[in-house]
Amino acid sequence: LQKAAQNLKSIIPIKFHISSRTDTGVHALCNSAHLDIQRAPAKAPFHARELVYSLNHYLKPEPIRILSAHRVADSFHARFSAQSRTYVYRLLVGCSHHSEIPVFERDLCWAPAGGQDAAGFLLGTHDFSTFRSLNSETPFKSPVRTILQADVRPSSGLLSHHYEYRGLEFWELEFRSRSFLYRQVVRRMVGALVAVGQGKLSPCHIKELLEKKDSRAFPPYAMAPPSGLFLKSVAY
């Protein structure tokens, strides 16, 4: 994005401010960012459509596209003005071996054995210390977050009609919150829910993990891989 924006010939340095950051290997169906552009005095401001076309022209080699652009007030900030973020995690049930994952779904889902809905324990406001990774920012960040939505529902695959006869089932776990902690919750919440389905944890263990408020208490086998996680939307 930064490199593509250099071609806009702004007379001030352009810096993108992204609404959300994700772990390596996580996908984004839709993300938001803001930037400030100042053109030379003789040039008119960019129209939104012109800005989208120009950036996408220079983004051709990259797996990213600008979907839309809007003029915003000086007080707007892509990260701090966001009201909520929604993440979706895709699970594939019915595979006895990783080779059974449809080729077009590889790196776009997780195919563990088992699955169960214990997501209700995660709804509401909790101290998510057990469900986050530690980093240099940890002492300065409150571990309290509010999970506004935690849904588990069946979902069709990208090309499900090609392999429905194989007994494969896709499920989506959707979580919405104003913000999430560093490497928090979504991958760890999904991993814990899958561990419940596999019988490695009981549903009440989810509540116990929350109450321990200690990242070291989180079972290392219960971290879901990044490949199944998607940032779905950011709401303002």
Side-chain angles (χ1 to χ4, degrees):
L1 283 171
Q2 293 279 158
K3 187 175 180 181
Q6 291 175 8
N7 295 281
L8 300 177
K9 302 295 189 295
S10 173
I11 62 175
I12 62 172
I14 290 180
K15 180 179 180 181
F16 278 86
H17 300 270
I18 309 294
S19 69
S20 297
R21 58 185 180 182
T22 59
D23 301 342
T24 300
V26 175
H27 314 283
L29 297 175
C30 187
N31 205 341
S32 304
H34 83 262
L35 69 159
D36 295 311
I37 303 172
Q38 185 173 334
R39 305 192 77 185
K43 291 187 174 291
F46 281 109
H47 292 293
R49 184 178 297 180
E50 182 183 8
L51 188 62
V52 171
Y53 179 85
S54 298
L55 286 173
N56 282 335
H57 174 76
Y58 294 105
L59 283 169
K60 280 182 180 178
E62 305 297 334
I64 185 172
R65 290 295 178 269
I66 307 300
L67 303 179
S68 62
H70 310 274
R71 190 181 303 278
V72 293
D74 289 341
S75 60
F76 176 85
H77 195 286
R79 178 182 175 189
F80 301 118
S81 298
Q83 295 299 304
S84 68
R85 283 95 171 160
T86 300
Y87 282 87
V88 170
Y89 199 100
R90 301 179 71 238
L91 292 176
L92 175 59
V93 178
C95 287
S96 58
H97 190 268
H98 67 83
S99 63
E100 297 179 10
I101 300 174
V103 65
F104 294 110
E105 297 283 3
R106 289 179 184 173
D107 299 323
L108 296 175
C109 63
W110 179 30
Q116 178 158 337
D117 182 7
F121 290 104
L122 300 167
L123 277 172
T125 302
H126 304 285
D127 183 318
F128 281 97
S129 294
T130 305
F131 287 80
R132 69 172 172 178
S133 293
L134 300 178
N135 72 342
S136 59
E137 298 180 3
T138 300
F140 310 103
K141 296 278 189 178
S142 170
V144 177
R145 292 293 186 273
T146 300
I147 302 300
L148 303 170
Q149 176 185 355
D151 294 334
V152 181
R153 58 175 178 263
S155 173
S156 61
L158 298 180
L159 297 169
S160 58
H161 58 286
H162 284 292
Y163 40 79
E164 57 186 4
Y165 66 92
R166 293 163 54 185
L168 303 179
E169 295 182 5
F170 279 90
W171 289 77
E172 288 186 355
L173 292 82
E174 185 167 309
F175 301 92
R176 181 168 58 90
S177 175
R178 182 176 177 85
S179 62
F180 293 89
L181 294 170
Y182 174 72
R183 289 189 178 176
Q184 177 208 8
V185 247
V186 179
R187 287 174 59 195
R188 291 180 180 233
M189 289 192 297
V190 170
L193 294 177
V194 168
V196 170
Q198 294 172 326
K200 297 177 181 178
L201 294 175
S202 66
C204 65
H205 279 149
I206 303 294
K207 184 179 180 182
E208 292 175 5
L209 287 172
L210 286 168
E211 292 172 347
K212 287 183 178 179
K213 303 177 184 178
D214 184 355
S215 63
R216 295 167 296 183
F218 190 83
Y221 60 79
M223 172 70 86
S227 57
L229 183 58
F230 295 75
L231 173 60
K232 179 181 178 180
S233 61
V234 182
Y236 293 95

